[in-house]
Amino acid sequence: MHTTYMPSTAVRPVTTFSTACVPPEQRLRAWEKHNADALIALQCRTRTGVEFQAQENNIQLGRVHLARVRSTAHSVERSLDLIGQQPTGALALFVSLRGEALFEQAGRRQILRPGDLVVCEADRHFVRGFANALDELALRVDRRVLPEEIHFPAHGEPLIIRRNESNPYGCAIARLSGRALDGHDPRQPDERMIVDLVSALVSRNAVRPQVLHRALACAYVENRLSDPRLSATEVAQAVGISVRQLTRVFSEMGQSFPRHVLGRRLEVAHNLLTGPDALTLSTAVVAAMCGFRSTAHFSKSFQERFRIAAGELRRTTAKHH
């Protein structure tokens, strides 16, 4: 397997599609076309006389695609014809945020409620129905980035995780994806982090423990980047391993734990200094927001990483806004 991960320095733009400006009689077809291009090709239906409205936020991370979907009541089908015409070679993951949803695949019919999560084979026939308003997170993950030892789904059946099961990998995926798709948070997950979490979620203990530990460790770090007190001891305790094991987990990624944390903090700082609010943020404020104890240390590290001073990048950003 050859896996290529995109560098995580630049902010992936959140693109938005909405049917609001589409004539009502053309909305379903426009929605189908958008999803076929951006996510998964589906056939959509609504009840007679119901006006359809929908909006979708999207982020492309290499071979992983994130989306937040909101719509009025409708149903969708991933038919055998569509699978033949537009295969994805991917797994699909859906996290319900609001409203109840019907999901049917491989003879298994389930009702999903807010907080529930389902992972399924995107190139296997399924039907979904939304009796009321839909609000959910959707992920498409190319199988080629998953570890070779993962053979999901078993017997063609989807994986369904209920909210009360408190699965740490599913919770992390929902938190990271939802935050990124909001469009206002500078912490955007990189492809490898999402792949690790999905691998851990569907592995059924097939992947190496290091992958499971790495998934949880990186997700924990993301939530604590702004705290200058974040330490290897804290992360190891949260994951349930020793500091020595944590060191090995990060060495397999090709860097030490401190270098990983520093790199992510600098990437978040870069996102802030190239974002729409850059002019309102001083170097000292950005340093504090990203967990640096010292503005001088931040400035030096930023210059070394990006070959440009933080203040100069902010001024350059201002000229293009």
Side-chain angles (χ1 to χ4, degrees):
M1 179 183 66
H2 299 283
T3 302
T4 301
Y5 293 101
M6 291 177 63
S8 55
T9 302
V11 178
R12 279 74 165 190
V14 177
T15 60
T16 300
F17 174 84
S18 173
T19 61
C21 297
V22 180
E25 67 277 9
Q26 298 176 22
R27 287 177 181 171
L28 274 183
R29 301 291 80 80
W31 185 242
E32 287 180 336
K33 183 180 185 307
H34 166 74
N35 278 289
D37 293 340
L39 200 59
I40 299 170
L42 300 166
Q43 292 175 319
C44 304
R45 300 180 182 88
T46 59
R47 293 192 300 270
T48 302
V50 175
E51 184 174 298
F52 178 72
Q53 296 180 5
Q55 177 178 306
E56 187 172 285
N57 293 348
N58 299 271
I59 298 178
Q60 185 72 42
L61 304 175
R63 297 184 186 277
V64 174
H65 189 98
L66 313 178
R68 181 166 183 176
V69 188
R70 300 177 180 90
S71 77
T72 52
H74 71 292
S75 64
V76 300
E77 180 178 5
R78 177 73 169 153
S79 67
L80 294 178
D81 284 345
L82 277 179
I83 292 169
Q85 295 166 14
Q86 296 175 281
T88 65
L91 296 182
L93 185 152
F94 305 103
V95 182
S96 178
L97 301 177
R98 181 164 65 97
E100 293 188 349
L102 167 72
F103 179 85
E104 184 173 354
Q105 187 180 53
R108 190 174 178 185
R109 187 183 180 97
Q110 298 283 336
I111 298 297
L112 302 177
R113 296 178 174 84
D116 292 347
L117 179 153
V118 59
V119 189
C120 68
E121 172 61 70
D123 291 339
R124 188 179 180 91
H125 175 261
F126 66 77
V127 174
R128 308 187 68 212
F130 315 102
N132 300 298
L134 161 69
D135 189 354
E136 71 175 10
L137 300 173
L139 283 75
R140 186 192 69 219
V141 182
D142 192 317
R143 281 187 170 278
R144 288 173 289 182
V145 299
L146 297 173
E148 293 177 348
E149 58 266 31
I150 290 180
H151 302 288
F152 178 88
H155 312 298
E157 294 187 358
L159 171 66
I160 296 176
I161 299 173
R162 300 296 181 181
R163 178 180 181 179
N164 58 9
E165 294 181 44
S166 299
N167 182 285
Y169 309 110
C171 291
I173 290 169
R175 184 170 56 248
L176 292 168
S177 301
R179 190 164 61 201
L181 289 160
D182 178 70
H184 301 294
D185 196 300
R187 291 169 296 176
Q188 289 199 348
D190 60 25
E191 184 184 9
R192 183 172 187 169
M193 190 187 309
I194 296 296
V195 169
D196 276 350
L197 288 167
V198 173
S199 299
L201 185 69
V202 305
S203 69
R204 303 179 192 273
N205 300 318
V207 299
R208 297 176 304 126
Q210 290 91 328
V211 174
L212 307 182
H213 296 152
R214 184 173 69 203
L216 290 180
C218 289
Y220 187 88
V221 167
E222 290 302 296
N223 290 324
R224 302 278 284 120
L225 279 175
S226 62
D227 189 342
R229 297 167 299 177
L230 177 66
S231 67
T233 300
E234 177 187 340
V235 176
Q237 289 176 345
V239 176
I241 59 178
S242 68
V243 173
R244 179 174 293 183
Q245 287 175 298
L246 183 73
T247 299
R248 285 198 292 267
V249 165
F250 280 91
S251 68
E252 284 199 0
M253 296 172 62
Q255 60 184 171
S256 67
F257 172 79
R259 294 301 298 178
H260 172 78
V261 174
L262 175 62
R264 287 299 294 152
R265 282 175 169 160
L266 290 173
E267 287 165 7
V268 172
H270 189 280
N271 294 348
L272 286 168
L273 291 168
T274 55
D277 299 324
L279 275 180
T280 67
L281 303 172
S282 68
T283 300
V285 167
V286 171
M289 290 175 67
C290 297
F292 287 89
R293 294 180 184 273
S294 161
T295 303
H297 177 227
F298 164 68
S299 298
K300 182 175 183 293
S301 300
F302 193 92
Q303 175 85 44
E304 290 176 350
R305 172 68 183 274
F306 299 111
R307 304 302 180 192
I308 185 173
E312 184 180 348
L313 179 61
R314 182 175 57 247
R315 288 188 292 272
T316 301
T317 298
K319 293 177 182 178
H320 293 88
H321 278 282

